[in-house]
Amino acid sequence: EIITLSPFEVNATKDTGYQATETLAGTRIRTNLADVGSAIQVITKEFMQDVGATDTGTLLQYTTNAEVAGTRGTYAGLGNGTTLTETDTLRSSGGGIPNRVRGLAAADNTRDFFVTDIPWDSFNVDRVDIQRGPNSILFGLGSPAGIVNASTRNAEFRNLGSVEARTGSYGTFRTSVDLNQVLIPKVLAFRLDGMWDDHKYEQKQA
Protein backbone atom coordinates (compact mmCIF):
# COMPACT_ATOMS: atom_id res chain seq x y z
CA GLU A 1 0.00 0.00 0.00
CA ILE A 2 1.35 3.42 -1.00
CA ILE A 3 1.37 6.11 1.68
CA THR A 4 1.19 9.69 0.40
CA LEU A 5 3.04 12.23 2.57
CA SER A 6 1.02 15.16 1.27
CA PRO A 7 0.94 17.08 4.60
CA PHE A 8 4.69 17.70 4.19
CA GLU A 9 4.52 19.19 0.71
CA VAL A 10 3.66 22.69 -0.43
CA ASN A 11 3.84 23.68 -4.09
CA ALA A 12 2.77 26.60 -6.20
CA THR A 13 -0.08 24.84 -8.00
CA LYS A 14 -2.61 26.15 -5.45
CA ASP A 15 -1.30 29.73 -5.52
CA THR A 16 -3.60 32.13 -7.35
CA GLY A 17 -2.01 35.31 -8.67
CA TYR A 18 -0.37 37.12 -5.75
CA GLN A 19 -2.24 35.05 -3.16
CA ALA A 20 -0.78 32.00 -1.42
CA THR A 21 -2.80 30.07 1.15
CA GLU A 22 -0.45 27.41 2.54
CA THR A 23 3.07 27.23 3.96
CA LEU A 24 5.49 24.88 5.73
CA ALA A 25 6.92 27.74 7.80
CA GLY A 26 6.11 27.67 11.50
CA THR A 27 4.88 24.10 11.93
CA ARG A 28 6.94 22.00 9.48
CA ILE A 29 3.73 20.58 8.00
CA ARG A 30 1.37 22.12 5.46
CA THR A 31 -0.65 24.76 7.27
CA ASN A 32 -3.02 27.49 6.18
CA LEU A 33 -1.35 30.88 6.44
CA ALA A 34 -4.31 32.15 8.46
CA ASP A 35 -3.47 29.60 11.18
CA VAL A 36 0.22 30.48 11.56
CA GLY A 37 0.86 32.93 14.38
CA SER A 38 4.04 34.58 13.09
CA ALA A 39 5.00 37.26 10.59
CA ILE A 40 5.09 35.51 7.23
CA GLN A 41 5.02 36.96 3.75
CA VAL A 42 4.72 34.64 0.75
CA ILE A 43 5.87 35.93 -2.63
CA THR A 44 4.38 34.06 -5.58
CA LYS A 45 5.93 33.48 -8.98
CA GLU A 46 3.46 35.90 -10.61
CA PHE A 47 4.50 38.72 -8.27
CA MET A 48 8.20 38.16 -8.99
CA GLN A 49 7.53 38.22 -12.72
CA ASP A 50 5.50 41.45 -12.50
CA VAL A 51 8.12 43.39 -10.51
CA GLY A 52 11.08 41.82 -12.34
CA ALA A 53 12.61 40.32 -9.18
CA THR A 54 15.22 37.64 -9.81
CA ASP A 55 17.10 37.37 -6.49
CA THR A 56 17.12 38.55 -2.88
CA GLY A 57 18.43 42.00 -3.73
CA THR A 58 15.71 42.74 -6.27
CA LEU A 59 12.89 41.16 -4.23
CA LEU A 60 13.34 42.34 -0.63
CA GLN A 61 12.89 45.99 -1.59
CA TYR A 62 9.22 45.15 -2.27
CA THR A 63 8.66 43.32 1.02
CA THR A 64 7.73 44.41 4.52
CA ASN A 65 10.33 45.58 7.04
CA ALA A 66 13.36 44.77 4.89
CA GLU A 67 16.27 46.85 3.61
CA VAL A 68 18.60 46.15 0.71
CA ALA A 69 22.01 47.70 0.09
CA GLY A 70 23.57 48.53 -3.26
CA THR A 71 22.79 50.77 -6.20
CA ARG A 72 19.25 49.39 -6.51
CA GLY A 73 18.67 49.10 -2.78
CA THR A 74 16.58 50.93 -0.21
CA TYR A 75 19.01 51.28 2.70
CA ALA A 76 19.67 54.88 3.71
CA GLY A 77 21.80 54.42 6.83
CA LEU A 78 19.86 56.99 8.85
CA GLY A 79 18.95 57.07 12.52
CA ASN A 80 20.44 57.99 15.89
CA GLY A 81 21.85 61.28 14.61
CA THR A 82 23.83 59.79 11.74
CA THR A 83 24.25 61.71 8.52
CA LEU A 84 23.41 60.40 5.09
CA THR A 85 26.46 59.41 3.06
CA GLU A 86 26.32 57.75 -0.32
CA THR A 87 29.35 55.62 0.51
CA ASP A 88 27.64 53.91 3.45
CA THR A 89 24.42 53.51 1.51
CA LEU A 90 26.02 51.68 -1.40
CA ARG A 91 28.39 49.59 0.68
CA SER A 92 26.03 47.66 2.97
CA SER A 93 23.10 47.92 5.32
CA GLY A 94 25.29 47.78 8.41
CA GLY A 95 27.85 45.22 9.46
CA GLY A 96 28.85 44.35 5.91
CA ILE A 97 25.60 42.52 5.09
CA PRO A 98 23.75 42.90 1.78
CA ASN A 99 20.29 43.03 3.36
CA ARG A 100 18.68 43.61 6.73
CA VAL A 101 15.32 42.43 8.08
CA ARG A 102 13.52 43.98 11.06
CA GLY A 103 16.45 46.40 11.39
CA LEU A 104 18.53 43.66 13.02
CA ALA A 105 20.65 41.58 10.68
CA ALA A 106 20.59 39.60 7.47
CA ALA A 107 17.96 36.88 7.30
CA ASP A 108 19.11 33.30 6.87
CA ASN A 109 19.05 32.09 3.29
CA THR A 110 17.32 28.71 3.00
CA ARG A 111 16.33 26.43 0.15
CA ASP A 112 13.30 24.26 0.86
CA PHE A 113 13.89 25.18 4.54
CA PHE A 114 17.49 23.95 4.62
CA VAL A 115 20.15 26.59 5.34
CA THR A 116 22.41 27.18 2.35
CA ASP A 117 25.07 29.61 1.15
CA ILE A 118 23.88 29.26 -2.44
CA PRO A 119 21.90 32.35 -3.48
CA TRP A 120 18.53 31.65 -5.06
CA ASP A 121 17.43 32.78 -8.50
CA SER A 122 13.90 32.99 -9.84
CA PHE A 123 14.57 30.78 -12.87
CA ASN A 124 14.05 27.62 -10.77
CA VAL A 125 11.98 29.00 -7.87
CA ASP A 126 8.18 28.86 -7.61
CA ARG A 127 7.70 30.94 -4.46
CA VAL A 128 9.59 32.67 -1.67
CA ASP A 129 8.53 32.52 2.00
CA ILE A 130 9.83 35.34 4.19
CA GLN A 131 9.42 34.66 7.90
CA ARG A 132 10.46 37.60 10.04
CA GLY A 133 11.61 37.23 13.62
CA PRO A 134 13.35 34.65 15.82
CA ASN A 135 10.29 32.38 15.70
CA SER A 136 11.48 31.05 12.37
CA ILE A 137 11.28 27.50 11.06
CA LEU A 138 14.80 26.89 12.44
CA PHE A 139 13.47 27.18 16.03
CA GLY A 140 16.20 29.18 17.76
CA LEU A 141 19.04 28.14 15.47
CA GLY A 142 18.41 30.85 12.92
CA SER A 143 19.04 34.55 12.63
CA PRO A 144 16.94 36.85 14.85
CA ALA A 145 15.93 38.59 11.63
CA GLY A 146 14.25 35.44 10.29
CA ILE A 147 14.63 33.46 7.09
CA VAL A 148 14.17 33.93 3.37
CA ASN A 149 13.19 30.54 1.97
CA ALA A 150 13.10 29.73 -1.74
CA SER A 151 10.94 26.78 -2.80
CA THR A 152 12.50 25.18 -5.85
CA ARG A 153 10.44 23.86 -8.72
CA ASN A 154 9.62 20.16 -8.55
CA ALA A 155 8.72 17.72 -11.28
CA GLU A 156 4.97 17.44 -11.84
CA PHE A 157 2.79 14.81 -13.51
CA ARG A 158 1.90 17.06 -16.44
CA ASN A 159 3.73 18.22 -19.53
CA LEU A 160 4.59 21.90 -19.59
CA GLY A 161 7.28 24.25 -20.77
CA SER A 162 8.15 27.91 -21.12
CA VAL A 163 10.93 30.16 -22.39
CA GLU A 164 11.49 33.69 -21.07
CA ALA A 165 13.79 36.46 -22.27
CA ARG A 166 14.36 40.01 -21.04
CA THR A 167 16.66 42.88 -21.85
CA GLY A 168 17.95 45.73 -19.72
CA SER A 169 20.19 48.77 -19.62
CA TYR A 170 23.65 48.80 -21.23
CA GLY A 171 22.99 45.61 -23.19
CA THR A 172 21.91 43.40 -20.29
CA PHE A 173 20.27 40.17 -21.50
CA ARG A 174 18.73 37.28 -19.58
CA THR A 175 16.95 34.16 -20.79
CA SER A 176 15.60 31.08 -19.02
CA VAL A 177 13.89 27.82 -19.94
CA ASP A 178 11.55 25.58 -17.93
CA LEU A 179 10.62 22.10 -19.20
CA ASN A 180 8.59 19.42 -17.40
CA GLN A 181 8.02 16.05 -19.03
CA VAL A 182 6.09 13.00 -17.79
CA LEU A 183 7.85 9.73 -18.63
CA ILE A 184 5.52 7.29 -16.86
CA PRO A 185 2.09 8.70 -15.85
CA LYS A 186 1.78 9.10 -12.06
CA VAL A 187 5.12 7.30 -11.60
CA LEU A 188 8.05 9.20 -13.13
CA ALA A 189 8.61 12.73 -14.39
CA PHE A 190 11.57 15.05 -14.78
CA ARG A 191 11.97 18.82 -14.86
CA LEU A 192 14.74 20.86 -16.44
CA ASP A 193 15.41 24.51 -15.61
CA GLY A 194 18.23 26.56 -17.10
CA MET A 195 19.26 30.21 -17.13
CA TRP A 196 21.77 32.46 -18.91
CA ASP A 197 22.28 35.96 -17.52
CA ASP A 198 24.65 38.63 -18.88
CA HIS A 199 24.22 41.61 -16.56
CA LYS A 200 26.10 44.74 -17.62
CA TYR A 201 26.78 48.01 -15.83
CA GLU A 202 28.17 51.41 -16.63
CA GLN A 203 30.29 53.48 -14.26
CA LYS A 204 31.43 57.01 -14.92
CA GLN A 205 35.08 57.74 -14.32
CA ALA A 206 35.90 59.75 -11.22
Side-chain angles (χ1 to χ4, degrees), residues 52-162:
T54 58
D55 54 17
T56 300
T58 53
L59 176 63
L60 287 186
Q61 55 188 286
Y62 295 101
T63 63
T64 305
N65 208 356
E67 300 167 299
V68 181
T71 56
R72 296 174 295 177
T74 58
Y75 176 70
L78 299 177
N80 298 325
T82 58
T83 58
L84 177 61
T85 64
E86 188 179 58
T87 301
D88 293 337
T89 302
L90 298 181
R91 183 171 57 226
S92 68
S93 55
I97 56 179
N99 64 77
R100 186 168 66 178
V101 180
R102 298 177 70 232
L104 295 176
D108 283 323
N109 181 50
T110 64
R111 176 174 295 185
D112 296 323
F113 295 103
F114 289 93
V115 177
T116 178
D117 292 329
I118 303 173
W120 64 270
D121 193 283
S122 61
F123 82 95
N124 66 345
V125 168
D126 267 333
R127 54 183 270 168
V128 175
D129 296 70
I130 302 173
Q131 190 164 17
R132 298 181 299 277
N135 53 342
S136 65
I137 190 68
L138 303 178
F139 293 107
L141 298 178
S143 167
I147 64 172
V148 176
N149 177 73
S151 298
T152 55
R153 294 176 180 173
N154 297 320
E156 302 176 15
F157 292 121
R158 57 178 180 146
N159 294 328
L160 58 89
S162 66

Side-chain angles (χ1 to χ4, degrees), residues 10-22 33 41-54 59 63 120 122 125-130 149 151 153:
V10 170
N11 54 53
T13 57
K14 294 184 178 180
D15 295 344
T16 304
Y18 293 177
Q19 182 182 18
T21 58
E22 300 173 338
L33 281 170
Q41 187 173 9
V42 179
I43 309 300
T44 63
K45 178 174 58 178
E46 286 77 8
F47 181 85
M48 288 189 287
Q49 289 175 341
D50 287 348
V51 301
T54 58
L59 176 63
T63 63
W120 64 270
S122 61
V125 168
D126 267 333
R127 54 183 270 168
V128 175
D129 296 70
I130 302 173
N149 177 73
S151 298
R153 294 176 180 173

